[in-house]
Amino acid sequence: MPSTDCSPKDSTKNEPVAPERPVTLRGIGVSDGIAIGPLLPVGRRERQVVEKELLPEEIEPEIVRFRQAVDATRRELQRVRDHTAQALGEKEARIFDAHLMIVGDDFLIEEVIARISARRRNAEIVFLEAVGRYMDAFKNVEDAYLRERQTDLHDVVDRVVDNLLGISDVDLSSLPGPCILAAHDFSASQTAGMDRHNVLAFATCLGSRTSHTTIMARAFEIPAVVGIPGLMDQLRAGDTVIVDGTRGLVILRPEPATLRRYEALIEERKEWFRKVEQELSLPAQTRDGFRVQLAANVELPEEIDAVRSTYGVGVGLFRTEYLFINRATLPSEEDQFEAYRKTAEEVFPQSVIIRSLDIGGDKFFSDIAVPQELNPFLGMRAVRFCLSQPEVFRCQLRAILRASAFGKVRVMFPMIATQEELAQTLALLKQAMQELDERGEPYNSHLDIGIMIEVPSAALIAHRLAPYVDFFSIGTNDLVQYALAADRSNPDTAYLYQPGHPSILRLIREVLEAAWAHGKWVSMCGEMAGDPLLTPLVLGLGIHELSMSPVALGPIKTLVRRLNMYEVEALAAEALRQGTAREVTELCRDLLRRTAPELLVAENSAPAGATCTENRCA
Ligand code: PEP
Ligand code: MG
């Protein structure tokens, strides 16, 4: 059963406080923006299952109660399935067929009913014992697909027990009105079926920049703060809450002065975005006439429309993981081809860089045996995983290649760490091309091939890798985590997660020099590219192609239009002489203060009026 314990490892952090007091909680701001609204806690931490011995006359009513709970669960799941089919399509909705199958399993239901009579115990206890045996059996099966079905089983079990206990959880597919959701974490079924037009913001105990909830939040431009220890201990439904996704703050029951300050901030933001919108059609060009190439990072195909119509840019990073996760089976070559072709056609005449599957780390999927690892970020992730599953890899490569006949498609490989890995990857790409030749399928045999530079070893041997590729794309999200050995999803090591660290600047310069020496182009698609504080530095270092979350495109274009290339180059030269991230960041802050103070975020500082609890991020 999923843990419902949100308590922090260190009890001095985000300690529970008297419920009526205003309190500011710190987490990781993962999706920009500010929202104010009523709180809706989602979760079942109140649940307590107590064993009860039944009198003979209580047995029959207990069986009826159990049947009713199962029926209610079935109806709930059917509703979620219908909603998902409507919102996301039939394919995504099929994930709930597995849930429905479990709740319709006569064998399990009859077993529970028989045991209620035989053991004369309440339904919750008997049901949990029975499914406990199922879960143990699941744990030991060889088949990865069946093993993965454990998650579905957990979800169904939670729902049945809640129905037995009369705990009604929030129906996320139909929210009562605009609200801010707070939860320990959201399951795949919850985010997929969410009534997102009524979700003003998210706050969760767990989560990382790349967790499921986070990716959704950013894609739908919903402010979000994750990784907040103790969050669920501090909440009351209906409380007014401020979620400041930009600063990573959640303010519960704010003082009137704080509310006013934030309302003013929202107005300032709106005003700023109105200005930004007016500049959207203007070129991303510095004051001294230097053109910068902007592109979007895309997680979900449904974002493409806005990328094209609102921002008119291409796609610098198409994360393909979303085609693979939260589904019962692997996507076929045809499924993938359709998604890639559609994207290529929609963004044309701009280009799309399709990144091969980056599964592992903290992204998971349902159908392939991913070994349980002690350090998943250092394990069988991304291209390592793909090289270990050449059939799956070649299937994706064929789909990407086929899409290249329908637009400007480029392909890119994540997590390359060695020259041998690159050679193996290119060999598989060649094989995929030969397979298409044999089938007579068209593709662009001259499509640009690139690798992500996100492992320090690759940055340091970039001069060795450059001859084999057309471009590098620097993935700072991972480069920073691997260079500073700071798990990007661990709130406790967030203080070490420093994109402005001198080591990162040196790695970037190394990559640029190698690329320039070989006449190759370099882009950046990590979050650093779209962080207004650091974008000038990135430009000054020599990267002029930046790919970022669509929501960052407007502000960054406005920023670019206020910069001078000579200024940012001087900033980079000065930054390269510093010894600490703090010094580098100070230089960047100075420049931003002078050029676009609206974009300056006082990181980790609560605006005046907010009462802070212990701060673990400072
Ligand atoms: C990165 O690591 O910077 C990157 C863009 O890839 P992802 O965030 O998907 O790992
Ligand atoms: Mg990465």
Side-chain angles (χ1 to χ4, degrees):
M1 205 133 320
S3 159
T4 51
D5 175 21
C6 290
S7 53
K9 276 182 241 142
D10 177 346
S11 60
T12 64
K13 298 166 184 172
N14 287 341
E15 281 178 5
V17 292
E20 62 284 355
R21 269 182 53 198
V23 56
T24 301
L25 301 171
R26 295 182 187 282
I28 308 169
V30 291
S31 184
D32 227 10
I34 297 167
I36 302 177
L39 180 82
L40 192 56
V42 181
R44 307 173 167 103
R45 75 191 171 89
E46 311 293 350
R47 181 206 289 159
Q48 239 188 342
V49 177
V50 181
E51 182 163 348
K52 191 176 152 210
E53 191 170 347
L54 302 176
L55 298 168
E57 63 273 21
E58 287 175 326
I59 290 176
E60 213 35 57
E62 190 65 2
I63 291 172
V64 172
R65 198 170 72 87
F66 175 63
R67 282 196 190 281
Q68 283 170 344
V70 171
D71 287 345
T73 307
R74 196 178 296 126
R75 283 195 301 276
E76 250 171 45
L77 285 166
Q78 191 59 52
R79 263 203 317 275
V80 177
R81 193 199 185 286
D82 294 345
H83 179 85
T84 309
Q86 221 177 23
L88 295 172
E90 180 58 27
K91 227 183 254 171
E92 273 66 24
R94 271 188 222 134
I95 189 170
F96 298 106
D97 290 342
H99 295 60
L100 281 161
M101 235 155 70
I102 297 166
V103 88
D105 179 349
D106 286 341
F107 187 78
L108 173 66
I109 293 165
E110 291 310 320
E111 182 188 343
V112 173
I113 289 173
R115 289 174 67 87
I116 291 174
S117 304
R119 292 203 52 228
R120 289 177 44 191
R121 290 292 183 279
N122 50 324
E124 295 86 333
I125 290 292
V126 175
F127 176 66
L128 285 171
E129 281 170 4
V131 290
R133 281 199 304 282
Y134 269 64
M135 285 184 191
D136 288 345
F138 266 115
K139 255 184 235 152
N140 299 325
V141 291
E142 295 272 300
D143 185 300
Y145 173 74
L146 285 179
R147 238 186 2 249
E148 282 293 330
R149 300 279 64 76
Q150 267 187 91
T151 321
D152 302 336
L153 190 55
H154 282 307
D155 195 2
V156 175
V157 169
D158 281 341
R159 287 175 189 272
V160 172
V161 174
D162 283 351
N163 280 321
L164 278 166
L165 294 172
I167 298 172
S168 59
D169 201 5
V170 177
D171 177 2
L172 293 179
S173 65
S174 144
L175 294 166
C179 57
I180 288 173
L181 297 178
H184 180 65
D185 200 8
F186 292 105
S187 70
S189 69
Q190 286 173 317
T191 34
M194 205 171 265
D195 169 12
R196 72 179 127 101
H197 300 293
N198 275 320
V199 180
L200 299 173
F202 286 127
T204 60
C205 298
L206 297 185
S208 69
R209 207 196 56 75
T210 49
S211 65
H212 190 93
T213 313
T214 300
I215 289 174
M216 283 288 190
R218 268 208 304 273
F220 299 133
E221 302 186 8
I222 296 170
V225 180
V226 304
I228 311 170
L231 170 70
M232 300 304 278
D233 300 331
Q234 324 243 9
L235 312 172
R236 275 182 326 202
D239 275 348
T240 297
V241 184
I242 300 170
V243 171
D244 182 343
T246 311
R247 296 168 186 78
L249 299 175
V250 173
I251 305 170
L252 307 172
R253 304 173 287 277
E255 304 272 16
T258 315
L259 263 179
R260 281 197 299 277
R261 170 86 188 104
Y262 264 101
E263 279 158 2
L265 274 179
I266 291 176
E267 280 317 305
E268 276 170 31
R269 248 181 96 84
K270 277 193 195 148
E271 190 48 42
W272 159 249
F273 272 95
R274 269 195 286 276
K275 277 198 212 136
V276 163
E277 268 168 27
Q278 285 162 11
E279 292 192 29
L280 276 181
S281 56
L282 301 174
Q285 188 169 310
T286 60
R287 294 163 80 99
D288 48 353
F290 202 93
R291 205 59 175 257
V292 175
Q293 193 76 35
L294 298 183
N297 291 352
V298 165
E299 343 272 348
L300 303 170
E302 56 200 281
E303 289 173 87
I304 301 282
D305 195 29
V307 166
R308 190 204 41 184
S309 56
T310 312
Y311 303 109
V313 296
V315 176
L317 167 63
F318 183 87
R319 289 185 168 99
T320 55
E321 293 78 69
Y322 254 82
L323 295 169
F324 288 76
I325 62 178
N326 293 331
R327 46 178 296 151
T329 56
L330 271 178
S332 65
E333 181 184 320
E334 226 40 48
D335 286 343
Q336 293 186 62
F337 164 61
E338 275 310 317
Y340 306 149
R341 179 187 60 78
K342 198 161 166 277
T343 306
E345 284 179 345
E346 281 185 20
V347 299
F348 190 82
Q350 310 279 0
S351 64
V352 49
I353 301 181
I354 303 181
R355 179 178 75 181
S356 65
L357 185 61
D358 181 358
I359 213 78
D362 66 352
K363 296 179 225 161
F364 57 92
F365 52 5
S366 352
D367 197 40
I368 301 183
V370 183
Q372 295 265 319
E373 295 174 300
L374 215 51
N375 293 306
F377 274 120
L378 299 180
M380 291 301 285
R381 195 192 148 187
V383 81
R384 303 169 183 186
F385 171 80
C386 287
L387 289 172
S388 75
Q389 303 271 341
E391 293 298 323
V392 176
F393 198 8
R394 285 205 327 278
C395 171
Q396 180 176 43
L397 294 176
R398 286 192 303 269
I400 297 172
L401 286 168
R402 283 171 60 193
S404 71
F406 295 84
K408 281 193 200 154
V409 171
R410 293 160 168 165
V411 64
M412 159 164 99
F413 302 105
M415 287 276 294
I416 295 283
T418 66
Q419 209 174 317
E420 290 88 342
E421 266 178 348
L422 177 57
Q424 286 168 35
T425 301
L426 295 178
L428 284 174
L429 183 66
K430 195 164 166 204
Q431 204 180 328
M433 286 181 176
Q434 283 161 355
E435 285 160 358
L436 292 182
D437 288 339
E438 281 158 24
R439 279 164 33 182
E441 297 264 13
Y443 62 90
N444 174 11
S445 57
H446 299 294
L447 89 169
D448 275 0
I449 299 166
I451 57 171
M452 290 192 69
I453 300 285
E454 46 187 353
V455 180
S457 64
L460 295 171
I461 58 159
H463 60 293
R464 293 283 187 178
L465 304 173
Y468 303 100
V469 297
D470 297 299
F471 67 94
F472 292 137
S473 183
I474 303 183
T476 48
N477 305 341
D478 280 311
L479 191 61
V480 174
Q481 94 160 334
Y482 295 129
L484 286 131
D487 183 340
R488 72 194 241 182
S489 56
N490 183 345
D492 293 329
T493 53
Y495 74 100
L496 270 173
Y497 193 88
Q498 302 173 345
H501 193 269
S503 61
I504 304 299
L505 311 191
R506 279 167 206 282
L507 288 169
I508 293 174
R509 278 303 292 197
E510 195 80 31
V511 175
L512 282 165
E513 275 159 23
W516 292 335
H518 289 86
K520 307 298 162 88
W521 54 277
V522 180
S523 68
M524 180 181 282
C525 62
E527 294 296 308
M528 188 176 178
D531 177 344
L533 189 66
L534 300 172
T535 305
L537 175 60
V538 172
L539 289 173
L541 286 169
I543 299 179
H544 306 139
E545 303 214 19
L546 309 173
S547 191
M548 60 199 72
S549 301
V551 69
L553 284 164
I556 294 296
K557 181 182 277 188
T558 301
L559 172 60
V560 167
R561 291 180 56 78
R562 297 202 195 161
L563 298 171
N564 281 302
M565 199 41 104
Y566 69 83
E567 244 177 336
V568 295
E569 281 175 353
L571 166 74
E574 185 65 17
L576 279 165
R577 285 194 282 273
Q578 307 306 311
T580 67
R582 189 181 285 266
E583 288 160 335
V584 172
T585 314
E586 254 331 295
L587 291 173
C588 295
R589 194 168 284 126
D590 271 355
L591 183 94
L592 194 59
R593 203 174 285 130
R594 280 185 276 116
T595 47
E598 314 88 309
L599 288 172
L600 198 59
V601 174
E603 294 137 281
N604 294 325
S605 68
T611 312
C612 281
T613 54
E614 193 70 23
N615 177 7
R616 72 199 156 89
C617 300

